[in-house]
Amino acid sequence: MATSLFQSIFHPSEIVALIQYKFLKSSPIHVIPPEQKAKIRCYEFLNKTSRSFAAVIQELDDEIRDAVCIFYLVLRGLDTIEDDMSIPIEKKEPLLRDFHKTIYKKGWTFDENGPDEKDRQLLVEFDVVIEEFLGLRKKFQNVIADIADKMGNGMADYAKDAAYNKYGVMTNKDFDLYCHYVAGLVGIGLSSLFSTSGLEKPELAKETELSNLMGLFLQKTNIIRDYLEDLLVNRRFWPKEIWTKYVDDLADFRKPGYEKKAVDCLSTMILNALQHAPECLTYMNKIQNKSIFSFCAIPQVMAIATLALLFKNYNVYHSVVKIRKGETVKLILKCTNIYEVANIFRYYSKVIIQKNDSKDPNFMKISVACGKVNLLHII
Ligand code: IN0
């Protein structure tokens, strides 16, 4: 709290937001009866993996909260297997492909992750997640298992792909496909869960393309922001088709003399992500339930704020650039309805327009992409 306040010292409205948020969040949200040990443990895991996002999940209405929490933890489980380079491919492939069956196996746990894997403990105690999964309504179980099936198989295909292992993601099409597996499917699954709960119309589950793009927008923003973190562990998610226009090796952007190329390539990446923004607003415009709306909108506004911060920002290549906690909290407090969220999108598209300059090879395309966000009418 003290560091967050200090970071916002020149942004008084963020100080107000931080204090407001602190008081809002200090009251316990939902109390789980002490005998439901597995459920308590699941929420502990949720709170450990992501503080602010966990709070947003816990604010969801009763009909959907547990299903989303378990969906999140199942996805984390898959991720923890995919991520771990110490698991040999012969072992990893069946683990990923069969994960949708594993979640039905009462008592299943996994302790073969490397000691440094950050969510290792989740798989060590995965029996609690399975117990709660099996306690969900059958329809929720089917949605979660179906997404785990598709995602696990997609991840396994990439983990086995020789070109991907050597060079990383190759084409723009590959980039969209990879992001579809790890994030687009999450959007598709969430829309199905929302519809299944009855809190959203059945039609929302049919909006698979818009749901997919919601995930792509988030994941592409993460990939741009995490350039350095990923490069240091030799993961290359920036598509080769984009960066080879500027350099021979993705790591060259870090070298002195490559600053202009680095910032131009960054613009191409940001433009690629930004093109999904209008469709994300279109998706959010279809959400009726207040708690689901905030749940969807908060990561989205953080993504567009992040893109605006990363645009023209050479620091991306030398450190991890993140929005201040104060700015995050201010955004969280504002995400109450589609008009506010559309205003936030417009605000950050203007921030991008102000940083745009005519020497950028993407100048026109970026102006158009921002223009589309600005002109979108919400009805
Ligand atoms: C998410 C998404 C998420 C939330 C709401 C609607 C969505 C629709 C489509 C796709 C994803 C959607 O949100 C989280 C947000 C999050 O975890 N934020 C982090 C911040 C950060 O920098 O990582 C936090 O600590 O607050 C998200 O990023 N993902 C996610 C995972 C599971 C579920 Cl159920 C929902 C991950 C990803 C890869 C983008 C899908």
Side-chain angles (χ1 to χ4, degrees):
M1 182 73 177
T3 24
S4 307
L5 285 171
F6 185 72
Q7 283 169 348
S8 295
I9 198 100
F10 298 118
H11 305 267
S13 63
E14 292 177 12
I15 306 265
V16 177
L18 278 163
I19 294 165
Q20 250 183 313
Y21 188 74
K22 177 93 186 154
F23 281 104
L24 261 174
K25 285 286 158 293
S26 55
S27 49
I29 325 178
H30 298 283
V31 182
I32 306 168
E35 64 275 15
Q36 297 189 24
K37 298 228 160 42
K39 188 179 279 191
I40 291 174
R41 193 73 187 121
C42 284
Y43 278 93
E44 277 171 11
F45 276 123
L46 178 70
N47 283 301
K48 249 183 241 165
T49 48
S50 150
R51 274 297 182 100
S52 51
F53 188 56
V56 187
I57 293 184
Q58 282 161 107
E59 298 264 7
L60 282 166
D61 287 355
D62 297 353
E63 295 93 319
I64 189 90
R65 189 186 320 118
D66 292 346
V68 172
C69 171
I70 300 307
F71 185 40
Y72 183 86
L73 294 176
V74 165
L75 298 172
R76 271 282 162 159
L78 259 177
D79 236 29
T80 305
I81 296 167
E82 185 211 32
D83 238 36
D84 192 333
M85 289 308 166
S86 76
I87 305 174
I89 185 67
E90 304 76 46
K91 191 155 184 109
K92 189 183 268 194
E93 187 184 358
L95 273 169
L96 291 172
R97 293 202 195 277
D98 298 340
F99 205 68
H100 67 109
K101 295 184 212 151
T102 307
I103 52 181
Y104 287 95
K105 290 189 182 142
K106 244 183 149 90
W108 184 89
T109 58
F110 182 76
D111 65 358
E112 292 166 58
N113 274 118
D116 300 334
E117 207 53 44
K118 75 175 182 332
D119 290 322
R120 178 180 203 286
Q121 197 58 25
L122 173 66
L123 288 173
V124 169
E125 295 175 48
F126 209 69
D127 49 339
V128 297
V129 178
I130 296 176
E131 186 176 333
E132 286 309 301
F133 170 76
L134 293 171
L136 293 174
R137 282 169 45 198
K138 198 93 208 119
K139 279 190 167 180
F140 284 141
Q141 290 181 20
N142 291 342
V143 172
I144 295 172
D146 176 51
I147 297 299
D149 183 5
K150 291 176 174 138
M151 190 183 289
N153 279 294
M155 284 172 164
D157 290 346
Y158 271 94
K160 263 189 14 172
D161 188 298
Y164 170 72
N165 282 315
K166 199 159 172 204
Y167 306 108
V169 172
M170 301 296 284
T171 63
N172 287 339
K173 212 174 138 219
D174 268 347
F175 187 42
D176 281 16
L177 185 64
Y178 178 78
C179 291
H180 164 73
Y181 286 135
V182 301
L185 284 170
V186 178
I188 294 171
L190 284 171
S191 294
S192 290
L193 293 178
F194 300 157
S195 293
T196 301
S197 73
L199 294 174
E200 295 295 335
K201 292 191 192 131
E203 290 82 61
L204 190 72
K206 297 189 189 119
E207 296 286 358
T208 52
E209 197 38 41
L210 290 179
S211 309
N212 181 50
L213 294 175
M214 287 280 287
L216 260 57
F217 187 61
L218 300 182
Q219 185 62 6
K220 286 181 175 183
T221 303
N222 290 342
I223 286 175
I224 300 170
R225 182 197 59 196
D226 297 339
Y227 164 90
L228 183 61
E229 216 177 84
D230 290 331
L231 190 76
L232 294 178
V233 290
N234 207 24
R235 278 186 305 217
R236 293 156 188 257
F237 298 119
W238 288 30
K240 200 162 186 275
E241 185 179 340
I242 290 184
W243 59 259
T244 45
K245 292 196 189 107
Y246 306 93
V247 283
D248 297 325
D249 185 66
L250 185 59
D252 288 348
F253 288 133
R254 289 171 51 71
K255 296 181 183 162
Y258 286 86
E259 293 83 356
K260 165 91 169 92
K261 285 184 167 172
V263 171
D264 284 349
C265 183
L266 185 58
S267 292
T268 312
M269 290 294 294
I270 290 175
L271 170 65
N272 179 297
L274 201 58
Q275 280 161 343
H276 304 313
E279 278 145 317
C280 293
L281 281 171
T282 307
Y283 176 90
M284 289 186 279
N285 194 30
K286 295 180 190 289
I287 303 290
Q288 298 176 317
N289 177 276
K290 257 177 162 281
S291 75
I292 294 180
F293 182 82
S294 309
F295 169 76
C296 290
I298 290 168
Q300 294 288 325
V301 298
M302 284 173 66
I304 197 154
T306 301
L307 290 179
L309 180 65
L310 301 181
F311 188 53
K312 301 281 174 197
N313 191 341
Y314 183 67
N315 292 335
V316 171
Y317 295 96
H318 290 281
S319 62
V320 180
V321 181
K322 283 196 174 152
I323 45 178
R324 289 182 304 276
K325 175 84 177 164
E327 191 169 0
T328 302
V329 163
K330 215 176 130 181
L331 290 172
I332 292 178
L333 292 170
K334 271 196 197 158
C335 278
T336 51
N337 63 65
I338 188 68
Y339 305 103
E340 290 289 346
V341 170
N343 276 334
I344 296 171
F345 269 57
R346 280 191 281 265
Y347 171 79
Y348 287 107
S349 77
K350 280 180 196 134
V351 172
I352 294 175
I353 287 183
Q354 273 155 18
K355 290 205 229 172
N356 201 5
D357 80 275
S358 53
K359 287 190 212 80
D360 189 321
N362 289 299
F363 176 72
M364 270 318 272
K365 285 183 180 165
I366 287 169
S367 307
V368 172
C370 290
K372 284 185 181 160
V373 174
N374 260 303
L375 291 173
L376 202 73
H377 287 287
I378 303 289
I379 31 166

